Amino acid sequence: MDAAWSAGEEPVVGVVDGQADDTDAIEIGARLESAAADVTIVSDGLEAVLEAEPSVLVTAGEASLTALARAGIDAPVLPVGPVSGIESVDRERIPDALEAVISGDAVCRPQPVLGVTLESTDTVVRDRALFDVTLVTDEPARISEYGVHSRGQPVATFRADGVVAATPAGSHGYASTVDAPQLSAAIDAVAVAPIGPFVTQTRQWVLPDDDLAFTVERNENDVRLVVDDRSVGMAPMDARVTISVTDTLSTLIVPER
């Protein structure tokens, strides 16, 4: 649920770039410094920015947002540039948007963050996802079979190249290309869909966002776990991937005017 938010009397604005190249952070920081009065601007790597205890974070692109979600930050985030499923501001509007934020005209919207655990006989991998979680074969069109379970109950078993679970924000990105349902931010659920199913008629699901699990029932090729477009581990036959909302990332929405 959206809520009013205030930056406080002496706001500190942290500018973070999740990419290896920090040109976005430099450009955004320069725009803010040229427009913001009585505001401390800190533009640096994530660790250094967080040490400054920012009132609000400004960041560009999906990679930066996912980095903040993994870090488990408390400060709200103003997203800049196009981000699938999350309201953001154009670069040209950054100074005006910051003014609206500092003036208390922005509202805070919590974005669910999924806790992801891959468990098998010889490995445990833990990660966090802002957009989606995917199991996918390294070589498409090879026989793989996946199971979907919700709150301890089986939902479906199917042959496919993979399976994806997406948050409401993620359901408007990659998941939409495999016909997963697109979810409203007001819904506490995840969208689940097969990837490249081996039958022409398949189902997609809207499931509770707690106690979801994927299993690898059969595979003739390596199956990879991908979290927010990052490969984080391999899933053998005995693997189980559990997914539940464990946190939120607060994003700021500013009025158009």
Side-chain angles (χ1 to χ4, degrees):
M1 180 180 295
D2 296 351
W5 177 83
S6 172
E9 295 182 358
E10 299 180 356
V12 176
V13 179
V15 184
V16 179
D17 190 351
Q19 306 282 2
D21 181 1
D22 64 354
T23 54
D24 276 340
I26 294 172
E27 177 190 344
I28 292 171
R31 285 176 180 265
L32 294 179
E33 288 176 354
S34 66
D38 302 323
V39 176
T40 301
I41 307 294
V42 180
S43 179
D44 207 330
L46 177 58
E47 184 175 348
V49 169
L50 294 182
E51 287 179 356
E53 299 182 353
S55 313
V56 59
L57 292 161
V58 181
T59 190
E62 293 185 5
S64 301
L65 280 176
T66 59
L68 295 178
R70 293 194 301 276
I73 57 120
D74 293 326
V77 183
L78 179 66
V80 175
V83 179
S84 298
I86 293 179
E87 292 190 49
S88 60
V89 300
D90 295 332
R91 290 175 182 269
E92 291 72 18
R93 289 188 61 218
I94 291 174
D96 291 339
L98 180 62
E99 182 179 348
V101 168
I102 300 304
S103 300
D105 293 330
V107 295
C108 197
R109 174 172 294 172
Q111 306 287 344
V113 176
L114 301 175
V116 184
T117 303
L118 165 64
E119 295 182 279
S120 65
T121 301
D122 56 0
T123 187
V124 176
V125 176
R126 291 185 173 86
D127 214 301
R128 293 156 66 96
L130 180 63
F131 295 104
D132 50 46
V133 180
T134 304
L135 281 178
V136 63
T137 55
D138 275 355
E139 295 183 21
R142 298 295 297 272
I143 295 176
S144 298
E145 189 170 316
Y146 301 92
V148 176
H149 313 262
S150 179
R151 294 181 174 176
Q153 300 299 315
V155 175
T157 303
F158 48 83
R159 295 172 61 195
D161 290 338
V163 59
V164 60
T167 63
S171 70
H172 296 267
Y174 167 73
S176 67
T177 67
V178 295
D179 297 327
Q182 294 191 1
L183 305 181
S184 163
I187 296 178
D188 297 329
V190 290
V192 177
I195 301 170
F198 292 176
V199 295
T200 56
Q201 293 184 341
T202 58
R203 292 183 177 181
Q204 298 81 32
W205 303 271
V206 175
L207 298 173
D209 59 8
D210 63 332
D211 199 11
L212 174 70
F214 291 159
T215 53
V216 181
E217 303 293 333
R218 178 186 180 190
N219 70 311
E220 293 186 2
N221 193 21
D222 292 336
V223 174
R224 188 176 300 275
L225 174 63
V226 179
V227 178
D228 281 345
D229 206 30
R230 295 173 300 107
S231 176
V232 299
M234 305 304 295
M237 277 282 293
D238 65 337
R240 184 179 184 90
V241 177
T242 55
I243 303 166
S244 291
V245 169
T246 57
D247 201 356
T248 58
L249 176 72
S250 296
T251 57
L252 292 171
I253 301 171
V254 298
E256 288 294 329
R257 296 172 57 188

